[in-house]
Amino acid sequence: MAILPGATIGFLGGGQLGRMAAMAARSLGYGVAVLDPDPRCPAAAIADRCVAASFDDEAAADELARGCAVVTYEIERIAPAALARAAARAPLRPSPRLLELVQDRARQKRWLREQGFPVGPYAEARSPAEALAAALSLGGSLRFKACQGGYDGRGQARAEGEAEAARAFGEIGGVPCVAERELDLAAELSVLVARRPAGETRLFPVARNWHEHGILRVSVLPGELPGDVAERARSIARAMAERLGLEGLLAVEFFWTKGGELFVNELAPRPHNTFHATEAACPTSQFEQLVRAICDLPLGATEPARPTALVNLLGDLWLAASPPDLPGALELPGVRLHLYGKEPRRGRKIGHLLAEAETSAAALELVREAAARLSPAMAAELPPGL
Ligand SMILES: Nc1ncnc2c1ncn2[C@@H]1O[C@H](COP(=O)(O)OP(=O)(O)OP(=O)(O)O)[C@@H](O)[C@H]1O
Ligand SMILES: [Mg+2]
């Protein structure tokens, strides 16, 4: 049953994803309540009510959900007990079961494998001996990834062969992890699917993404990919949403290898950095789509898309000798700036630029030019081969 404007939506997490989703909720006429450890978090400026508490505080989760018609999450590290308390008060969408599935990399990969979705070669490890066994069975270059708590490439260590396995396992803290074979990537892409409780499902065009040191730097929507790669990825994501009975958004990150294989990297049941461009590119943004989906309203159109590229702005830009030239970038027609109201720190996402153009290639060219206006040093660091 539809939750109509005038009701209040609760957000577990008040970072930039919560902030942008809260703005969409406001535009549609909903009230906004936020739980975040930081009372001055990015979403606080948009909220009617902010509960300042940690993500394992059950009483605080209960307090957030009180007075909310529906609760959602924009961050993955919410303790299961806190999720359960919120879910006892109001519908929690997407389901806590789905969040718990993705909170642990090993659990997530096991599920993907069991369900017959394609995942790259990997093995689980809980001790130095298991790390060595994983390296022996996989062979070649590896990436050890902690099962819990990693983001933006944190909690990961590389290993060249079995001689380095124990060192890499120690580097991520000797915690339970998965070892993945390092893949030779032709491209990275992502798919975002929205599904509402009534069952209606809509997908956004596929995004093509470029990461550096584990952090997303550039993304373009629609991403140009050869053959049926994009269609295959979309049908995998659609099947997942249906299998999971999704209520909300599910982002699926994919690797496409030089050998022509398409693998699922990981899932995120929330708005996703690679779909920020939907705000300029699509008739409905990912944030509005989230609100519609969790409120069981008709989903918005996702096409036609106007090609739009994104470049992430990291805190480093503001810590350099001269500040970024924001007016210089905004002078370019088709360029937009989003800042999240976050304190700049090295490697921290502070905002993004969007650039709209006639084609995806032209949008990438324009976003590179905008980045160069902002800071020539940053533009020089953008991944080659965009
Ligand atoms: N097995 C692999 N082979 C090649 N590259 C990889 C592999 N695993 C990760 N990467 C690279 O590192 C990036 C980040 O990896 P991953 O998505 O696992 O990390 P994360 O910390 O969960 O990131 P986020 O949560 O920000 O998406 C990938 O997008 C890709 O560029
Ligand atoms: Mg990732």
Side-chain angles (χ1 to χ4, degrees), residues 36 43 70 109 121 179 201 272 303:
D36 195 276
V70 61
K109 282 192 185 291
T201 301
H272 196 263
E303 288 174 291

Side-chain angles (χ1 to χ4, degrees), residues 29-349:
Y30 291 93
V32 170
V34 171
L35 182 153
D36 195 276
D38 177 4
R40 292 162 50 86
C41 64
I46 320 297
D48 300 288
R49 190 159 67 85
C50 193
V51 181
S54 72
F55 296 129
D56 57 6
D57 187 330
E58 296 166 44
D62 181 79
E63 188 189 332
L64 173 84
R66 220 176 297 150
C68 289
V70 61
V71 175
T72 190
Y73 41 82
E74 60 103 55
I75 193 161
E76 283 158 27
R77 55 190 165 89
I78 320 267
L83 286 173
R85 281 291 288 277
R89 284 259 177 217
L92 183 61
R93 294 175 179 159
S95 73
R97 189 177 52 86
L98 174 50
L99 185 58
E100 285 167 37
L101 177 68
V102 306
Q103 277 176 336
D104 185 290
R105 264 187 211 278
R107 193 185 300 149
Q108 184 183 147
K109 282 192 185 291
R110 244 179 271 140
W111 181 83
L112 288 168
R113 238 187 205 175
E114 282 162 16
Q115 298 291 318
F117 295 115
V119 283
Y122 81 96
E124 295 180 31
R126 274 167 246 95
S127 64
E130 285 185 6
L132 181 62
L136 284 167
S137 72
L138 293 165
S141 305
L142 302 169
R143 247 174 226 247
F144 284 83
K145 302 183 178 179
C147 283
Q148 292 189 354
Y151 70 100
D152 287 348
R154 292 168 219 214
Q156 299 194 14
R158 307 273 294 269
E160 288 305 322
E162 68 256 24
E164 292 181 12
R167 193 259 312 138
F169 180 72
E171 220 172 275
I172 60 167
V175 293
C177 64
V178 295
E180 291 180 14
R181 184 175 305 145
E182 182 75 20
L183 301 166
D184 199 5
L185 302 180
E188 294 193 53
L189 52 147
S190 49
V191 179
L192 186 66
V193 44
R195 188 176 175 280
R196 61 187 277 217
E200 186 193 5
T201 301
R202 272 185 196 260
L203 282 85
F204 285 91
V206 170
R208 182 164 178 180
N209 314 314
W210 289 264
H211 291 77
E212 214 163 46
H213 309 302
I215 301 188
L216 178 76
R217 297 309 306 269
V218 176
S219 178
V220 67
L221 194 122
E224 282 170 357
L225 292 148
D228 63 350
V229 173
E231 238 2 88
R232 274 161 56 204
R234 278 165 59 101
S235 69
I236 289 169
R238 180 186 285 277
M240 272 180 201
E242 266 149 32
R243 198 85 48 92
L244 292 161
L246 175 70
E247 297 179 338
L249 298 182
L250 178 70
V252 187
E253 298 177 13
F254 289 91
F255 292 145
W256 180 48
T257 71
K258 289 192 176 147
E261 293 160 304
L262 186 65
F263 292 127
V264 175
N265 172 30
E266 57 176 354
L267 312 179
R270 52 166 172 78
H272 196 263
N273 194 170
T274 59
F275 287 90
H276 291 354
T278 55
E279 285 204 291
C282 301
T284 309
S285 76
Q286 64 166 342
F287 304 108
E288 178 175 341
Q289 200 75 307
L290 170 68
V291 172
R292 290 183 183 224
I294 62 175
C295 292
D296 206 8
L297 292 172
L299 299 178
T302 53
E303 288 174 291
R306 180 164 164 78
T308 303
L310 161 147
V311 62
N312 268 336
L313 306 180
L314 303 182
D316 311 51
L317 267 179
W318 278 264
L319 301 172
S322 49
D325 179 10
L326 300 176
L330 287 171
E331 209 171 51
L332 293 167
V335 171
R336 297 197 203 170
L337 172 69
H338 292 250
L339 293 174
Y340 312 143
K342 283 164 79 173
E343 202 61 44
R345 279 190 228 133
R346 291 209 182 279
R348 191 181 204 206
K349 293 170 183 168

